[in-house]
């Protein structure tokens, strides 16, 4: 599903070059659920952004479902983000003025799908917030907002869902509900899931935990 | 994303930011309404002038003393004194000039006219009876100047409506006397009111027999000793060709004046007069257009400014849209569509506003000038087209900036 080889990302801050990813290699198979843990500032988000086709590596290669991503143009990346990947952010990133339904419909606008309203409602149902369809993000709880964000990630039936600290802004009960949704999507629908978290209890929902430090993977645990 | 989809997204976004949208629209409304109202003033004055020229009679040629240069009327032409009453008589002879229907020579000057303790300074035109047909100036009351008046150099006048009003304050001037240059004249008629003010002086005029004006009021003779006329109005027969008539008239005058070199007269057709007037009002209209253009430019800069603010404010939104799969083209289209919707809306409202302003000022007096406005249909289309073009032109830079945003940078934006 995902193959990183020797992926390097260097940020330029004026004349200073800051290497954030220093030659990351890894493979994640189809249908896996993987958690990534590591201290903050170690480059996890940078890695996730590249994995989510939101950003390109400075060097190295990234293959997604056999397709070489690093050679693609902006608009091709946009197409892949739309069709194959669902991204869930720590800060939800919902449009504040749109309803839950409107937010979930957003990817369908750019994907040219039909029956958008129905599909968006179905996605909201899958994560248990269909009753909040008409509410704006500011009118619902953090946990519900993150569910709406997951519905948005799901609506185009992606094969990969990437979640960068999805429970970072949630209380422990909501966190558990959210991770349960991810586990369900992985176990029941076979969607590949990669999630970044600081909490061990969340990470333990995954089959495999990758440890990340200073721009490199430094080890992994496989759960029983 | 289809155009309809882009339209939906844009309208939603605009409706979400109502105040900002309204402020942007306001600039366009002001810009377009000034374009429409200023252009309508230009157009109105143009049509006014043209209708006045055609009201003077149709199918006319004007013969004036003095040479022409490059086909244009020369300023000093009035100074020469080459045309005479006898020239006019010769032109009226159908054997000489077959395409002529009627000939009306005239002399004109300005003089003080006094009656019943009132006095006005006005144009005195010496005419022959044909003047009333050729220049389309019938009497409303009394009689016009007759052939006998011309022969006898009678001391009679026909007053223009304005002069009659000013001297007699609503009373009938018929049979009353007026004094011009301390000579007594009897009023035999009053001209039909032509209406209008500004360029024309058709109502502010006193007509007298041409011979009377020549001998009693003016005293100018040609070198040959004939009585001079200021100009000769020639009305052409129905279906007569302007060039042919011009040629015939020129031939007669050259023969009569024994000319071998350059002409000492100028023949101007009504079309040429119209063209010259159009040039004048055209300049006026262009000037108004420039002012209107400047206000549109300001409106456009307003759009650009507000759109740039909007792009900055909505950086996160753009980031979110891109993160879920919006392509550059989608973002570009959304922002351009927003600019177009705003300017279409603003253009429409501006059109109504401009039309209202134009209706309001029409016929009102501003610093002594009565303004007439005409909103020609093509301005309506033009105004909306200009509004949309303004929106697109000034919208494209902010839209392109939005489209180029990197999704990660956009999502991080606070
Ligand atoms: N756009 C950027 N420009 C410069 N430095 C950046 C940029 N994005 C991230 N960084 C730096 O890269 C490092 C890793 O950031 P990040 O990937 O967000 O780490 P994590 O998600 O593990 O906390 C940090 O030091 C951060 O300051
Ligand atoms: Mg992070």
């Amino acid at each position: 599903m995902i193959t990183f080889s020797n992926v390097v990302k260097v940020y330029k801050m004026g004349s200073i070059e800051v290497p954030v990813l220093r030659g990351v290699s890894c493979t994640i198979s189809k249908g896996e659920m993987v958690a990534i843990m590591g201290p903050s500032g170690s480059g996890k988000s940078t890695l996730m952004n590249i994995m989510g086709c939101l950003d390109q590596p400075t060097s190295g290669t990234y293959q997604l479902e056999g397709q070489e991503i690093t050679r693609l143009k902006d608009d091709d990346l946009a197409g892949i983000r739309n069709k194959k990947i669902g991204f869930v952010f720590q800060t939800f990133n919902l449009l504040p003025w749109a309803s839950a339904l409107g937010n979930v419909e957003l990817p369908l606008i750019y994907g040219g799908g039909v029956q958008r309203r129905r599909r968006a409602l179905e996605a909201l149902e899958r994560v248990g917030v269909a009753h909040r369809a008409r509410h704006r993000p500011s009118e619902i709880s953090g946990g519900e907002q993150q569910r709406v964000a997951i519905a948005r990630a799901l609506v185009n039936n992606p094969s990969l869902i990437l979640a960068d600290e999805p429970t970072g802004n949630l209380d422990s009960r909501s966190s558990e509900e959210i991770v349960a949704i991810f586990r369900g999507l992985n176990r029941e629908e076979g969607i590949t899931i990669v999630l970044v978290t600081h909490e061990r209890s969340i990470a333990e929902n995954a089959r495999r935990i990758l440890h990340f430090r200073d721009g490199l993977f430094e080890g992994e645990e496989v759960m029983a | 994303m289809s155009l309809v989809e882009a339209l939906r997204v844009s309208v939603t976004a605009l409706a979400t930011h109502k105040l900002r949208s309204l402020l942007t629209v306001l600039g366009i409304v002001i810009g377009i309404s000034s374009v429409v109202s200023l252009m309508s003033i230009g157009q109105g004055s143009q049509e006014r002038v043209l209708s006045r020229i055609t009201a003077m009679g149709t199918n006319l040629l004007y013969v004036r003393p003095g040479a022409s240069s490059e086909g244009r009327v020369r300023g000093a032409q009035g100074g020469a004194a080459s045309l005479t009453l006898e020239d006019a008589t010769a032109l009226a002879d159908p054997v000489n000039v077959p395409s002529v229907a009627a000939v009306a020579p005239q002399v004109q000057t300005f003089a003080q006219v006094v009656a019943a303790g009132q006095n006005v300074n006005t144009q005195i035109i010496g005419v022959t009876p044909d003047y009333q047909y050729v220049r389309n100036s019938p009497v409303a009351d009394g009689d016009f100047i007759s052939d006998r008046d011309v022969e006898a150099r009678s001391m009679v006048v026909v007053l223009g409506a304005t002069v009659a009003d000013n001297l007699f304050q609503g009373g009938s001037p018929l049979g009353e006397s007026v004094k011009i240059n301390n000579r007594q004249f009897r009023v035999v008629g009053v001209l039909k009111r032509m209406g209008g003010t500004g360029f024309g002086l058709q109502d502010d005029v006193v007509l007298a027999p041409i011979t009377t004006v020549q001998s009693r009021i003016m005293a100018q003779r040609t070198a040959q000793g004939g009585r001079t006329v200021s100009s000769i109005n020639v009305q052409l027969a129905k279906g007569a060709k302007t060039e042919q008539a011009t040629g015939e008239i020129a031939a007669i005058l050259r023969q009569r004046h024994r000319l071998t070199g350059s002409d000492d007269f100028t023949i101007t057709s009504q079309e040429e007069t119209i063209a010259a007037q159009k040039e004048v009002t055209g300049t006026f209209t262009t000037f108004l257009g420039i002012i209107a253009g400047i206000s549109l430019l300001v409106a456009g800069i307003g759009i650009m400014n507000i759109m740039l603010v909007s792009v900055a404010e909505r950086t996160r939104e753009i980031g979110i849209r891109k993160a879920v799969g919006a392509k550059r083209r989608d973002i570009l289209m959304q922002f351009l569509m927003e600019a177009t919707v705003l300017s279409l809306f603003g253009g429409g409202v501006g059109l109504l506003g401009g039309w209202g302003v134009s209706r309001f000022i029409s016929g009102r007096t501003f610093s002594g000038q009565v303004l007439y406005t005409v909103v020609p249909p093509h301005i309506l289309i033009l105004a909306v087209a200009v509004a949309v073009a303004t929106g697109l032109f000034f919208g494209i830079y902010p839209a392109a900036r939005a489209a180029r945003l990197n999704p990660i940078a956009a999502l991080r934006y606070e």
Side-chain angles (χ1 to χ4, degrees), chain B residues 113-116 153-157 175-187 212 216-217:
Chain B
V113 182
V114 185
R153 299 180 190 180
S154 310
M155 302 297 279
V156 295
V157 289
E176 302 289 337
S177 29
V178 297
K179 268 190 170 169
I180 304 174
N181 281 3
N182 277 324
R183 289 169 190 270
Q184 194 119 341
F185 287 77
R186 189 167 49 87
V187 179
T212 313
R216 310 280 188 222
I217 302 176

Side-chain angles (χ1 to χ4, degrees), chain B residues 162-197:
Chain B
T162 305
V163 176
D165 289 347
N166 291 344
L167 291 179
F168 296 97
Q169 321 273 317
S172 170
L174 290 187
E176 302 289 337
S177 29
V178 297
K179 268 190 170 169
I180 304 174
N181 281 3
N182 277 324
R183 289 169 190 270
Q184 194 119 341
F185 287 77
R186 189 167 49 87
V187 179
V188 293
V190 177
L191 290 178
K192 196 172 148 232
R193 192 179 297 277
M194 296 294 159
T197 44

Side-chain angles (χ1 to χ4, degrees), chain A residues 11-13 18 20 39-47 164-165, chain B residues 412:
Chain A
Y11 284 115
K12 278 209 177 80
M13 305 271 282
V18 186
V20 178
S40 57
S42 57
K44 304 182 298 296
S45 293
T46 306
L47 180 73
D164 189 359
E165 299 192 38
Chain B
R412 279 174 180 235

Side-chain angles (χ1 to χ4, degrees), chain B residues 65-85:
Chain B
S68 69
S69 59
E70 291 168 6
R72 280 178 172 243
V73 177
R74 204 161 63 179
Q77 53 166 251
S82 58
L83 291 176
T84 63
L85 211 46

